Every structure is written in C-alpha cells, then in structure tokens.
C-alpha cells in the first residue's frame, strides 16, 4: 500500500518450505495471506483508528533457493541483517513459509540487542529438538537453534512459549534445564495465564507466531494441527498486552499451508498481521 | 414438506450473486441449505416439540436475471410485495444468495408497517457503505439502502447490528450520526450484550442473518470470513429472546457460499433456519 | 508400533460403511486416523509420561464383505468374541467406519460382563431408532440394538449419552421409557454436567465415541455434523474422569469421514485415541 | 421436462451404492447427471432436430434401502417389472449408482423377450466374476448374474462387451467358454471394431454403459478408472449404429462418481444420455 | 516481463464475471493464467526461437464494477478504444473472464477496420442468442452482439466458428440466414476442416478463443464443458495457419474457470497465449 | 505381494521432494501409486498372462532426510549401489518423488555397465539445465547430471528423450552439441517416431519415466503439465518394443503429484508400472 520511505511497517514474504513433515504447502502461505489482506477493512473498531496509516510496504518475495536448509537459512540471516539495518524504526513482519525461517530474524535481533531479547512464541509445538529428520535446520528445531545461539559465548535469548500441546520428552527436559517459560494449552483454560506470560517477558520482545497456536477449528490449514488450541481472543489478549507493556522489535507469522476452500484460514492470518500493525501503531 | 395452504412458514430460495468481492459461490447457497435440511431431525429437544408441524412450504427458486443489480433488486422487491400480500400470517424466510437481496424484504416490511420496524442484523460487517465497487446496490451497501429508505419522506427503520467486527471509518460515522445500535464482536465476550440488543429492538423486527456473523471456525464457507465471531449459542440466545419478546415479521439467511467438503456449513445454516421455525412456532 | 505380545492396547481398524445417510466416506476413516497418528508426539504433557510405552499393536483392517449389514455385523461380533478372548488385559480400541459397528463390541462386552455394563456414548444423535432406511442394522439404530440386547432374557446394558442435539420423537420416548441418562448439548453450557454423567455410570464402562459429538468447527469431516457440539476439553474432562473413576473395558471411535484438506479432523480423532491410551495407561 | 403421459423417454434415477471397491460416490451420480442436464442445449446438430420433443419424464429417485445387496436388487427387479409394464413404448434409461443395478433391467428384459436379447456392454471391466468381496451381488459380478439368468432353464442373453481392458483369468475363461464377444480396448485402435460389435448384436439389444468405458482423461470421476479407454466418438459411432440397425429396448448409465470440480464428467454422462435420446428419437 | 515501450505484445487481464450459467469462477481466470505463465519455457521448439523477445507487457487487471453487464461492457469498449489507439503495432491479448467481454475488442476492431474483419471463434457454443437469462449482454449472446454491430448502418464483421457442438434451433437459423461459416466438432474428425476455415477468413482476423473449444479432457475447468471437442494440435494447426496466412489484429482467451487441482487447465491456457505470441512474432 | 526371495521385480518408493517449482506434492506420489495398485487386475489381456507371477516385492519407503538435495541424492546413490548388488536379476522400479532422484539409479547403472547404457527418458522437459533455482541438484537438472557423469573420465550414458515439448535455448544447445536423440512431442503426430527412438537405443537401457510425458488430459496431477503430450498407447508402443528389442536393466516413474479427486492419475501411474512388469516378465 505504501512505498518504503513512507512505511512504518514492512512485510517480508518468505515462501520457504523444505523440511515439513506431513501437510505440505507452507510455500503458498505468503501469497495467500497477501491476497486475503486485500479484503481487510482498514478501520480497527477496538483502536478506533486506521492502522494502515502508519504506512505498510510489502517487499517482493524472498527466494531462498533449493540448495538445502543450511544455506537457505544463512542467506535469510544475511538478508535480515541488511534489511534491519536499512529499516531503522520500521517494524518488519516476516510471512512464512515453514517455521525454520524464524531463526534468521530472531538471531539477528539477538545480535542487535546483545542478547537482551525475549522470544515470545505462539505455537502448538515447542520446536526444541536438537535434530529432526536428519537436519538441525528442520522446522521442528527452530527454537533450539535460537536457544543455543550465543548460549556459550554471549548473552542468549529467553523464550516464552504459549499454547504448547505437543512435545517430546527431550524437549520437556530442555524446558526444565533452561528455565523456559511455557504456558501449556491446558493451562490456558484458567484465568491468569496472560499475566504470567507477560511478566516473563523481558524488555525487548520478538514475536514468532506459528498459526498452529490456534485451535484447528479456526485454522485447519496448517501442517500439524493439534486440538485444544488457543482462540482468536486468547491471541488478541496476549498480543495487545505485549505490545503495550514491552518493546516489541519484530514479528513473524509462519506455517500457514493454504488449502482449496481454506480462505478463512488465510484471512485469519492476514487479520492477525493487521492487528499486530494496529498494536504497533499504538506504540509509535 | 408442506403445500402452500397448510404452511405456516414459507421458504424462498434467492440464488442471486452478482457483486461479491472475494470468495464466490453464494449462488449455490439456497440449494445447499435445502439439500442439507433433509438430514435435520424434526424434533427440537429444547422446545420439546416438532416445529415442522407448523407446515413448511419451499417455493421454487427465484431467478433475478443477469441484467444487473438494480433491476434485479427491483424485481425482487416487487415479488416480495406480492408474496407478502398473499402470505398473510405465513412467516417468510428468504435464503440467499448475497446480502444485497435483503433490502427487498426489509423495505417491503418498512412499507407494510409504515416504518415501525427494527432490522436485527447478524453480521460481521455493517454493510453501510454508500457505494461500493461502482454500484449502490453492492452487497456491502445493503444496510445503507435500508437505512435511507423513506429516511427523508417518512418513517425509516432502525437497525440493531450484532457481531460486527469489520467496518470503515465512513461506516463508523454513519453509525454515530444515525444512532445505530451496534454490538461489536469484542463486546460479546462480556455478559449482558443479549439484553442490550433486545432492549434496542422496537415492537416489530425483521431479521437479516449474514452467516459471517458466526466465527469462521463454525462457517468457513462464506465470502469474507472474519475471526472473532459469534458462536452457535450466541445466535440461539439472541434469536430465542427476540422471537419471544418481540413480533418478528420475517427473516432471511444470506451469504452462505458452499464449498466442496463444506457440508457442515450448509447444515449449520439449515439448522439455523429450522431453529427460527421453531422459535416462530412458539409465537404462533 | 508394538507386537501383539508386548501390547497393552490393540487398535482394530473397521473400515465398514454401508448404511450412511448423507456425507459418505467413513470407510476411509481408519486409514486416515492411522496415517495421522504418525505425527502425534508420544509425550503427554498433562500426564507427564509417554503413554505409547504401554505398547500399541495395530491389527490389519477388518473386511466385513458386501453381503449386507446383518451378516457384516454378525461377522464382526464373532470376530470380537475371539479377539477379546485372546486379548486378555489388552485394551481394544475399534476405529470405524460407520456407527453401526459399535453394537458388536458393546454386546460382546454385555455378554462377558453378564450385563453389568454401562455404554458411555459421545454423540450428537441418540441412534435409538428401531429401524431406519429399511434396516434394523442402520447406523441410526445402533444404540437401540445395544439397548435391546438381552433386554428380555437377561441383564441389559445401561446407556449414558452426552452431547445429544438431534433426535426424533420416537427416540425421546425411548429415552424416557428406558431411563436413559442423556446430557443434551445445551445442558453442557452449564457446569456440573460432567459429574452428572460420571455418577450415572456403573462399575464397568464401554465407550463409543461418535466424532460428531464434537462441534463441526472442530470435526467438520463427518456424515451429519450438528452445530452446538462439545469441545475438545469437554471430551477430555469426561474421559479423564471416566477412566479414573470407573473400569473402562473398551472403546471405539467412529464416523470420521475424511475429506481432502481435512487432515485436522483426522488428526483430532487420532489424538483422541492417543489420549484414551494415556488415560488407560494411568489405570494400568 | 415432460409428464408421464406425453413422454417417449423415461429417466429413472437409481442412486444405489453398497459394494464399490475404491473410489466412492456413485450414489451421487444420478443427481449430478440430472443437474448437469439442465445445461444441455436441446438442439442436436448431427440429427438437425430437438430430441427432447420426444418427451422426457424424470421419475423420482429409487431408494433401495440399506438391508443389503440381495434384497436391494430384488426390489429393483420388481420395480422394473412394474415400470416396464406401465411404460409400454416408452424408452427407460436408468441412471446409477453402481453397476450391480444393471442386472435388474437386463433380466427383466430377458424375461419380456424370452431370452431373445443381447446385452451391449460399454465397460473397462468384464464384471464376470462369480463372487466378489463376499457377495454374488457385488458390482464386479453383474454381468455374470445376467449371463447365468435362465442359462439352465431357458433362453439366456448374449453379451457383447466393448472397451474391456481389465479382467481376471477367471473372467477370461468365462468369455471363452461362453463365447462372449469382446472388443478389447487395444483392438479399438484399429478400424473395423464397430462393425464387428454391431454384427455380433442380435435383434433386440439392451445397453448397459459403465462410464469407465471412456478413457479417464474424459471421465476421471469413476470408481476404478483404467487408461487406454474409449473416446467420445468411439461411443457415438457404436451407439448410433446400434440404434439404427437394431431394436434397442432400454439402457442404463452407471458408475459416475461425482467429484468436486468434476462437472465435466457429469456433463459428459448427461450428454451421453441425451445422445441416446436422440438416437432413440430417430428410431421412433 | 517487459515495459510498455519495449513491448510487442500486451496482455490485458479482464476478470469479469456476472452472467455465467453453471460453473462459476471465470473471474479467477486471468490471475490463474498469469500465475501459470511463470512456468512456461521461453524457447519454442517448433519455431526454434524465444518468442518472449518480442517483449510482453502485462497490464493491471481491469475492474468493470458491479453496476451490471451493460455499463461494464460499455466501459470495456471505451477502454479498448483508448488502449488500441495507444498500442499502435502492439498486439493485444485480452484474458477473460466470461465470454461477454469479447464484444468490446471485436467491435472496436470492426470500427477501426471499417467492418473489414473476420472474427475467428474457437468455441463449443455459437453464443448467437439474441437474449439470454434476461439480458442481451449475457455471455451466451456475445457473438450475436458482434454480428449485429453495424449490421444495418455499415460494414459488419463475418464470423468463422470452429469446434461448435452445442447450439439452439434459433442459433442454427441465424447461422443459415447470415451465412456464418461453422466447422462443427463432428466435422473436425475428417481432414480438410482447417483449410476450409482458413479459406473462409477475410484479410483481417480477430481471434476469440473460448477454452471450451477444447475437449473437457484437456480443459475441464470451464463453465459448460462439452465432450467431443478439439485437441491441442487442432488448435495449433488452425492458429498457425491463420497467423501465417492472414493479418491477425488481436485476440482474447476466455472462460477459464480455475478449480483446485486444475493447474493443468490454467497452464494450457497460458501456453495457448504464448503460442499466439510465438505465431505473432513470426508475422512481425 | 511377494517376499524378497521369490521376487523378480522390486518396487522402491522414494517419496523425495525438495526442489519442485510449481505444483507440489510429489512426496505423496509413491503412496498413491501403491494404494492404487491394489485395484489393478493381475491378468494382462494383451500378454494373456498374469505378470504378477514373476513376484513383486515392495520395499519400505526411503527417507532421504531434510539436510538438502546434495546429501539426499548421495545417500540414494549409495543405497542403490547396495540394492542393485543384492538384487541380482531382480528388476528394480523406483517410484518418485521428484525427478532429481533418477540420477542415482541412472549413474549406478552407468558404473555397473561401464557406460554401456542408454537412458530412455519419457518426459515433457529435457531437464538438461546446468543449475536451476540455485542448485545443480534441482529436478530440472537431472539429465544434465546423468549426461556429465563420467563424461570426462570414462564412458558416459547416451540419452534418448521422447515427448519433449518444453526446453530452454541452453538445453537446445546441449542437445545439439551432445547429439542427444530427441523425439519432440510435435514429431509424435507422424508415424515412425517409435522406430526412430528404438533404433537410437543401445544394448542396455535404463528407463526414466516422468509422468508429464503424458498429455495433461491423462495425468493432470503433476508439477508442470504441458499440453500436446503422449497418449497411453504412445507409451505402450515404445515400452513394449524397448523391452522386447533391448536389455532394459531398470526403471523409475517420477513426478506424480497426487491431488484430491486425482485417483485416475495415480491409477494410470500404477498401471504403467504393472505394464512394465508385464513387459519385463516376457523378457525373463
């Protein structure tokens, strides 16, 4: 809608998919979200303003090649370094693609903030495996990559994960050893979880939003849907507080896998992005 | 199920679609609802009776031609005038088709009741635009057309809209200037909204039910789904009170856009119609 | 995952479909559930253990032939008699297929326990018709067949049905005459229904779970979806208490009708089975 | 389009499906064909006339119940006896449903013509198995049932089968022993096969047309598609000669299994029926 | 691929749909064709060159509003007048959308060439109705509108139609009265039809290509598929000769109605456009 | 169907997909082909025998990991070396997956036969690019990898490619420089092409069959369908002669991308494999 100069928000489509497990199609996610976004009304009745006025610039899609996950993520990291440098105050929202892309912006922000960063992860899965399906760069390992980044030689990021309802014993042990704050999905049935999550956030926050955080009734169009997930309002409650009470530096929305007849899923992801833009515009 | 003579309820299929924005297919809505209705059980366990005994007569589909929106709506209005005259006490439920058809029955009832009418609108969108996509008869303008009908020269209808979560600045201003009662979707998270809506209704009520009132988890098969919508029980609570506490004169159900594998959406719309028949049968 | 010897749980695929009404495809249900189960994480964060360690043996699919419903169900009953005899303490979960298959395991357990059995039925429909579509073995009659089994000459089973929201006058009368405990879907909006259901259960319980118990937002992929159904947590609450407080002897999950793009429904059914395995593993 | 009295052709929808092997959905075949037929132009440019003028009466769908294949086919046979008696000169086209229905009209005609009948079978499969999937009434056995009808005690029908490209050793042996005239699909690549088929026909002919005769490129929407099948013009060439040079007494079109997006298959089946009506109208 | 200045060919997307009969979705046609065109190889092995070098400029989509067919077509005509004036030697290919759009470029060329124009119509239907579905601007009337344009007061266009296999008596009479050259689909089974069609073309030719010319096996994704249609090579044979032996001034490709899983249809339409560009590049 | 010891043919499922361009889903290809194969009749009427008697052993699926294309292909090559060593006279048919897998068996055979090998490629595309999408191991480069294997230091394989109708200038130049025998799709319209292809084959032949060789009317379910492709009988004619007149050492079938409703495509691929087994069984 807007050019780079006038933009307060930048959308970066990253249609990358190479390591998905079951349902395929996250490669089509960014295009579906952008197509759906054309039908969003600009006025936000909760904020009583038109957040698009902050200026939204959608960049061309990033092609990460077919040489394999490791060079792909490395290329994305380099690209993010350049982009964040150029962006200044502009808020960048990456649109995946599979979840493995998130390690690029997350670690870029770790470096920029010298480790003074919390990753707020909306997700059904912890994605804390060390390796999966023969690769450390699999989408099921993305948070482990972030966790280990600078873990030995510098300040690492903290993780606050909400909506979790699928993990392995190995991942449970990582959570306990590393003191990761997890709000399990079954804990979200009782009040107070939003406050607990917000309190665990540090000063600076990067948000990675895997759409399988949502219950599959709302977004069935994702690779590994898990019942018992979060509602639209659960996401709104936590997002609005995180943006109001912390310094949110960037975000991504990943793992939408469009399906025929699945426009509702794409639209929900698009509106999620637009609500983030709205919350961000209140910050500014 | 029943002939005209014995019918207390008349179903009018209006498979009209000419101005939709994104998802297409509302033209197939009436046929899908009627097909699905064959699998509804006749007994209603909440009412402890069989509402179909009131007699339900399904009319042939209305063909509004391809000459354009304005003559199509004019034709439908004329048809409704004749039908309501013939129908007497019979309760007419129109099945769309896109939302623009609702201005025909709504304005027909405005005239029949000399403006002493409230439109109870279940919807995600206010549909209060003055023009859209080059036409004042676009589906996004239908409530504006109703609002302006006889607004200058006679008694106009009031509007009570529930479930709203997508509108423009222009529409917000219309709401404020005209004193339209709106229950936004985010307000439905707190108790009391049903009572507020019922109290805002006048003596006579026409119900227009855009199925995108519902959360897209329940009815994904519609043109512009919006997350954060109403639940089945939200609709039941308001409908049951409206029928019990006011004089509901007619209704329509619009914007179902059937999809392959989307039988659940069609069935839900069909059961919605049957619940209306049940509530109506309690009135009679 | 496991061989017969080491198994504590046995999965029996029964891809039988011959009498469905509307949506077709329950024949593909078992294969879809088993395919989906490959993507379930083995750790259960609510139980803090890996239930698969109990040992899960998946048997080959049962072919009930095309000679008609009566010989098909008779063959399944004979097969269940043999299987339960061989199984000993192993817990058998049947995967349908249409609901009519449930009379085979249910009546087998009636005999094994000399009538000292309650059937806990998760369902939108009571399935208590005497005949339907020209056959007493139609899926809409399955609970009637169970109810009448040994009703005259011995100890019959009780039925506790939850989630009911579609029935006929005839079925209402059966409920009243036979004192069947029914928790209607609209009663599940208020607290206390789980306790009422559990209290109505006898010592031994067989669970038949028709996936249309769930709201169609969660599982649209079933033959006759009905809005206003149970949530994931509703099912978890009642299942966990039933397994903890009673002796659950067996279970089946029926009426999943896979659809293209409907992986979320299949996954939910698979996770339902795995949660049962988990609850069972706590019993053992 | 026409009432019974004025009809020269009668369409009988038989949405029966109980024994299919792989792809399901033939139950939806008749409705899809009838829906598609609304878009056929009435003028036939090859005949230079409007065949519908012969009068076409579409009967209500036949419900064969869910008690099993044997009673279902028996009921259909009784129904056909009555219908043919009442029909007089009217030409009856049955619309399946699975192929097993064809034994009812075929054997009814065997009796009416005292065995002086050839069955002209368009099909990919010979359907000559003695039993299949535990039943002699399976769709894979339908021609065997016809072949054996009155084979011992009276005059049986001959069979001429065209398009065959999938059979078993057992069926090959039946073909050789019984002298069935088969035009294999690979023989249709060379000229002359139409003449050979026509010459093998007796005076009276009943046509059973399994749509999998066609190459799957033309009709993918069938249960067991086989590549290398007949083209539209192959069918037209043989049908036009059969109707011109023999006394065709009746016909059926079976095994269409509609799919989302498969309107072309349904339309092709509908036009096939209309071409038959045209050829028949030239006879009259 | 190219800017306006360097372009020898201009692509004009016209996603207009308002009067379709059965299958819907032609509105999505242009986007699907353009998406598919990204996967076409630029080299043409029959021409042994890369036709894209002529320069191809794709314009933004034209929005014809929702005010009805008559103003929509009028607006398109005005737009075409301006575009053709600006285009000079550039070859314009319109991408529909429904067939009714073709009257705009066709009549624009009639005026530009003072009636010295033949319309070469690839189509299953003659589209020569006077009115249809209450409108003279329905897609089933488009060639009648072209035929009557300047028929009384000036030089009208001739029509050569190929692939025809669905028409009405009324349309047959128009063909005969007006001397329209029609190659029926059944005539395309014999050699010589290409030559007959080419000989009937005048000096200047506008090509309107309804994709239902093709057999539905090749392009099932269209509104009213008709079996017995043309093959890919049929189209290539006639197109290559028309471009070589006549002055082709413009073209359109219409009635593609994309379906899920129907990428092959979209790709075929895209390659058809690219072959036209190739043939045109030989002319230049 | 058969164990390894008794097998004359071995089926190797290779569900690998990492570099596809457009349509996705080749990863599901092997499972769909194997599922479809259950419905193939074992008797082959052209050979008048049951080819399955040669013994067919289906191996478990190969998982090539997610570490990237280069290690994946290397792993597959190592696996093929072991498998071919163990297989002895058994004929191995690989089922892809994307086309890039074919370089593993092809180069394994180059080594085993010291370069005395012709690759017979059924394909729409030459796949002779040097690099594509940032990788030399992309599916569009597979034949280039084969071509260059041992090209400098030893005896390389020849390539005979049939059905080609999409290539780049670069690939045309490679064809000319390296003397690759190509039968373009447009050349297949004239007789004699089968003989030309067979004559170009050396003594030993490895067959790689990309299903996009077929016209998209027959197999729409592939990544980049191209109109104007080969028919079923085209494939049969060349395959039967190749097996009869040369020593065919192995084969693969690749690029099937299953779609909902696309059972016909999967079945055609399965029957293609079975016809190869039949032709092979004649050799033995």
């Amino acid at each position: 809608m807007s050019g780079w100069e006038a933009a307060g928000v930048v959308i970066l489509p990253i249609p990358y998919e190479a390591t998905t497990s079951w349902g395929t199609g996250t490669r089509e996610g960014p295009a579906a979200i952008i197509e759906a976004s054309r039908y969003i009304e600009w006025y936000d009745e909760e904020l009583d303003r038109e957040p698009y006025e902050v200026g939204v610039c959608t960049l061309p899609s990033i092609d990460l090649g077919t040489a394999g996950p490791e060079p792909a993520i490395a290329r994305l990291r380099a690209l993010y370094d350049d982009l964040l440098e150029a962006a200044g105050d502009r808020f960048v929202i990456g649109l995946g693609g599979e979840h493995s892309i998130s390690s690029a912006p997350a670690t870029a922000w770790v470096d920029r903030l010298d480790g003074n960063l919390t990753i707020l992860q909306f997700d059904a899965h912890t994605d804390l495996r060390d390796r999966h399906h023969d690769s450390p760069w699999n989408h099921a390992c993305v948070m482990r990559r972030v966790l280990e980044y600078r873990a030995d030689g510098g300040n690492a990021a903290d993780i606050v994960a909400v909506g979790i309802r699928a993990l392995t014993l190995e991942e449970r042990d990582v959570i306990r050893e590393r003191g990761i704050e997890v709000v399990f999905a079954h804990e979200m049935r009782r009040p107070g979880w939003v406050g607990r999550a917000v309190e665990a956030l540090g000063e600076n926050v990067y948000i990675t939003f895997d759409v399988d955080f949502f219950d599959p009734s709302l977004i069935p169009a994702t690779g590994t849907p898990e019942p018992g997930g979060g509602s639209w309002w659960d996401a709104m409650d936590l997002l609005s507080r995180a943006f109001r009470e912390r310094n949110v530096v960037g975000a991504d929305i990943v793992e939408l896998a469009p399906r025929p007849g699945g426009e509702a899923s794409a639209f929900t992801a698009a509106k999620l992005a637009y609500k983030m833009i709205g919350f961000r515009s209140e910050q500014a």
Side-chain angles (χ1 to χ4, degrees), chain A residues 14-112:
Chain A
I14 314 168
Y16 176 74
E17 175 178 24
T19 73
T20 49
S21 304
W22 188 27
T24 57
T26 61
R27 188 161 58 177
E28 310 296 332
I33 295 172
I34 290 167
E35 166 72 8
S37 71
R38 298 169 47 200
Y39 303 96
I40 288 179
E41 301 292 355
W42 289 348
Y43 174 75
D44 182 313
E45 73 277 9
E46 290 176 275
L47 305 176
D48 196 18
R49 51 199 306 271
E50 294 186 309
Y52 87 97
E53 289 190 332
V54 72
V56 181
C57 171
T58 301
L59 298 179
S61 275
I62 299 304
D63 182 348
L64 299 179
T66 57
E70 189 160 4
I73 299 303
R75 184 190 296 189
L76 183 62
R77 170 63 201 268
L79 186 147
Y80 250 105
D81 283 337
D82 293 348
L83 177 63
L84 295 178
E85 193 61 36
D89 281 343
R90 294 177 186 83
F91 187 80
V92 179
I93 303 179
L95 300 181
E98 56 167 75
H99 207 163
S100 54
I101 64 161
S102 301
S103 69
T107 60
W109 276 107
V110 168
D111 283 348
R112 294 176 72 84

Side-chain angles (χ1 to χ4, degrees), chain A residues 6-9 47 49 51 53-55 89-91 242-248 276-284:
Chain A
V9 174
L47 305 176
R49 51 199 306 271
E53 289 190 332
V54 72
D89 281 343
R90 294 177 186 83
F91 187 80
F243 273 89
R244 262 184 294 131
E245 302 178 22
R246 294 295 186 277
N247 175 39
V248 180
M276 285 185 184
I277 294 171
F279 295 138
R280 164 72 180 186
S281 71
E282 298 277 291
Q283 271 188 328

Side-chain angles (χ1 to χ4, degrees), chain A residues 181-194:
Chain A
E181 183 71 29
V182 172
V183 179
F184 289 104
H186 64 88
E187 296 174 322
M188 294 166 59
R189 302 180 68 191
R190 289 181 295 276
W193 69 270
V194 173

Side-chain angles (χ1 to χ4, degrees), chain A residues 44-207:
Chain A
D44 182 313
E45 73 277 9
E46 290 176 275
L47 305 176
D48 196 18
R49 51 199 306 271
E50 294 186 309
Y52 87 97
E53 289 190 332
V54 72
V56 181
C57 171
T58 301
L59 298 179
S61 275
I62 299 304
D63 182 348
L64 299 179
T66 57
E70 189 160 4
I73 299 303
R75 184 190 296 189
L76 183 62
R77 170 63 201 268
L79 186 147
Y80 250 105
D81 283 337
D82 293 348
L83 177 63
L84 295 178
E85 193 61 36
D89 281 343
R90 294 177 186 83
F91 187 80
V92 179
I93 303 179
L95 300 181
E98 56 167 75
H99 207 163
S100 54
I101 64 161
S102 301
S103 69
T107 60
W109 276 107
V110 168
D111 283 348
R112 294 176 72 84
L113 296 167
D114 201 23
N116 183 15
L117 181 70
T118 308
I119 311 294
L120 173 54
Q121 175 191 7
F122 291 78
D123 209 332
H125 313 82
T126 48
D127 293 343
L128 285 167
R129 279 175 163 97
D130 190 31
R131 296 179 68 83
H132 189 57
H133 212 197
D134 203 42
S135 169
W137 299 101
N138 191 285
H139 68 129
C141 311
V142 61
M143 297 314 289
R144 184 71 165 268
R145 291 293 81 73
V146 173
L147 194 67
E148 293 182 348
Y149 190 74
R150 301 199 348 170
D152 297 324
N155 290 319
D158 293 321
I159 295 176
V160 175
V162 300
I164 301 301
R165 54 202 187 277
L167 68 165
T168 62
L169 257 184
E170 170 201 358
E171 292 173 295
R172 181 203 64 179
D173 293 342
V174 173
I175 289 169
R176 292 180 182 174
E177 288 158 18
R178 305 291 289 265
I180 295 173
E181 183 71 29
V182 172
V183 179
F184 289 104
H186 64 88
E187 296 174 322
M188 294 166 59
R189 302 180 68 191
R190 289 181 295 276
W193 69 270
V194 173
R196 175 155 70 91
V198 172
E199 278 155 33
L201 298 174
E203 179 188 358
N204 300 308
V205 174
Y206 178 84
I207 295 172

